[in-house]
Amino acid sequence: MILRDLIGVLEKLIPAGMQESYDNTGLQIGNTGEEVTRALICMDVTMGVLEEAVTQKCDLVISHHPMIFKPIKKLDFGNEQGLLIAFAVKHNLAVYSMHTSIDKYRFGVSYALARKLNLENIQTLKPEEGVLRKLVTFCPSAQAPALRNALFSAGAGHIGNYDSCSFNIEGEGSFRALEGTNPYVGKQGELHSEKETRIEVAFPDWNKTSVIKSLLANHPYEEVAYDIYPLENSLHTAGLGAVGYLKKAMGANDFLSSLQSCFGNMPLKYCTHEKMIKRVAVCGGSGASLLGTAVSVGADAYITGDIKYHDFQAASGKILLADAGHYETEIQVLQVIKELISEKIPTFATLISETNTNFVKYLK
């Protein structure tokens, strides 16, 4: 399969534009015009992972964490990053990273963690804000259905668990084609009226390029009239973290024991309170910034990684807070990536890396 086509499939589901502003999700290294036949899926790009890719005859590595996170000002083949780049180039390995895009994906990192904890009625903990837009355009009524379908295919018209959502009003548009034009209807120099449909569809900002490209390619007029409005609505199908319910309320100690068992009896850092645990919030990776959100949505417990001392202090008496590890709360996403590719491209081979890239070790 051509690499750009595979990336296109992934980014139709999980656009790179979803990523946080500080991130570097997307292609890290490689030629998008080359064919790839087999992918190794991993958390981090290390020399061990790249060597595993070569051994397993993989020509593509799909990682969660970016191989290149900060801008490179020089290539020094004597340091770790330079060695990784040199090895990838030498062995013709492409590297693609999904990081905060799949963190925000509705069924991504935190959803997988919530499923691991057997939570039910899982929803996004912190939905995306300020990313929704509304497109309004005007199309000859006979061509409106085809244009709507094209906009839906480009990523517009999704509201919650519904797709193909639009609002349509029949009306009449007027225009005069001036010299040098080639009007679809009407004649140059004559005022023309046309029965038109006003089409309204919502879309997230990261789909703007594809939506407008589709609009211009499929609208019959050579001069397309359209408006884009910002919306204040939250986008509940994307965002960070997840929150759901245990099947049965548990005491704090029983919940912690169950949590520890779920993570292979690894040591847990936590602060607790006396409240029964029923509603549980999670965020894979570093989620201390969502502690206040977890409290505000009424969660009884919050599970994440990279918690600092004063975070525990802030949680004390308000919520059970547990640090289950950065790596441990994200590793489930590798299976998510594998299943996504298998579902969309059944003939493309994928492997989950057997190289443990967790840099944190525990003394038991």
Side-chain angles (χ1 to χ4, degrees):
M1 185 174 194
I2 302 302
L3 179 56
R4 76 165 60 90
D5 295 335
L6 188 147
I7 291 174
V9 171
L10 286 175
E11 294 193 357
K12 187 174 180 64
L13 283 171
I14 310 171
M18 289 174 66
Q19 68 184 290
E20 292 284 273
S21 59
Y22 62 79
D23 200 12
N24 187 34
T25 289
L27 184 67
Q28 308 289 294
I29 189 168
N31 182 345
T32 57
E34 288 192 350
E35 185 175 2
V36 288
T37 59
R38 192 176 175 91
L40 184 69
I41 304 168
C42 65
M43 278 291 292
D44 303 279
V45 181
T46 64
M47 188 58 72
V49 167
L50 295 182
E51 289 171 347
E52 182 184 3
V54 172
T55 300
Q56 295 290 350
K57 302 187 185 310
C58 297
D59 40 23
L60 171 63
V61 173
I62 300 177
S63 69
H64 180 52
H65 294 136
M67 176 182 178
I68 302 170
F69 192 71
K70 297 180 180 179
I72 298 175
K73 294 184 178 181
K74 62 181 178 180
L75 273 176
D76 181 353
F77 296 125
N79 63 31
E80 181 182 9
Q81 188 172 62
L83 287 170
L84 292 175
I85 293 172
F87 187 94
V89 171
K90 178 180 179 180
H91 294 276
N92 198 31
L93 292 172
V95 179
Y96 181 88
S97 300
M98 303 189 73
H99 204 208
T100 54
S101 291
I102 201 165
D103 282 351
K104 292 183 175 182
Y105 174 53
R106 185 180 188 182
F107 303 113
V109 172
S110 295
Y111 183 88
L113 176 57
R115 290 289 300 271
K116 181 181 178 71
L117 300 182
N118 294 314
L119 300 185
E120 299 178 335
N121 191 22
I122 302 168
Q123 299 176 328
T124 303
L125 175 60
K126 186 180 181 183
E128 285 286 87
E129 302 283 348
V131 299
L132 279 174
R133 307 288 182 263
K134 178 178 282 188
L135 169 70
V136 177
T137 191
F138 311 87
C139 179
S141 297
Q143 286 72 41
L147 179 60
R148 274 196 301 270
N149 288 333
L151 295 174
F152 297 152
S153 296
H158 287 264
I159 301 177
N161 289 326
Y162 293 78
D163 66 9
S164 303
C165 302
S166 68
F167 186 73
N168 305 273
I169 304 174
E170 299 303 319
E172 185 174 282
S174 67
F175 51 84
R176 177 184 289 116
L178 302 179
E179 185 178 352
T181 59
N182 182 26
Y184 177 74
V185 289
K187 297 179 180 179
Q188 280 190 22
E190 295 182 3
L191 183 62
H192 178 80
S193 295
E194 183 71 20
K195 297 296 183 183
E196 295 179 338
T197 303
R198 174 188 170 112
I199 302 172
E200 300 183 12
V201 289
F203 64 91
D205 186 59
W206 48 75
N207 285 343
K208 180 178 177 180
T209 298
S210 61
V211 168
I212 299 306
K213 182 178 179 180
S214 180
L215 169 67
L216 298 180
N218 291 280
H219 199 293
Y221 290 171
E222 65 173 350
E223 191 67 54
V224 180
Y226 66 93
D227 306 316
I228 296 177
Y229 302 99
L231 301 178
E232 293 296 323
N233 310 54
S234 301
L235 180 60
H236 291 272
T237 55
L240 294 172
V243 61
Y245 292 88
L246 296 172
K247 292 181 180 180
K248 184 179 179 180
M250 306 172 68
N253 290 337
D254 288 340
F255 175 76
L256 287 166
S257 295
S258 174
L259 183 65
Q260 188 172 44
S261 176
C262 189
F263 286 98
N265 293 316
M266 61 167 280
L268 291 176
K269 293 192 296 181
Y270 69 92
C271 73
T272 187
H273 62 150
E274 300 304 319
K275 189 176 181 181
M276 294 290 286
I277 308 301
K278 177 66 173 178
R279 185 163 166 82
V280 178
V282 301
C283 182
S286 298
S289 63
L290 297 186
L291 173 59
T293 304
V295 172
S296 69
V297 300
D300 305 311
Y302 180 45
I303 316 304
T304 186
D306 297 343
I307 297 297
K308 297 179 181 180
Y309 176 84
H310 291 293
D311 298 321
F312 286 111
Q313 181 183 23
S316 182
K318 300 176 183 175
I319 191 171
L320 185 154
L321 175 62
D323 186 336
H326 188 123
Y327 181 93
E328 290 81 3
T329 56
E330 287 188 328
I331 189 65
Q332 294 77 215
V333 77
L334 304 190
Q335 185 64 35
V336 174
I337 297 170
K338 179 176 175 62
E339 290 174 0
L340 282 175
I341 296 174
S342 297
E343 178 184 346
K344 297 298 180 180
I345 321 170
T347 57
F348 189 80
T350 57
L351 298 172
I352 293 179
S353 173
E354 296 182 357
T355 302
N356 186 333
T357 62
N358 191 355
F359 301 104
V360 179
K361 308 301 178 185
Y362 300 95
L363 183 63
K364 296 184 179 180

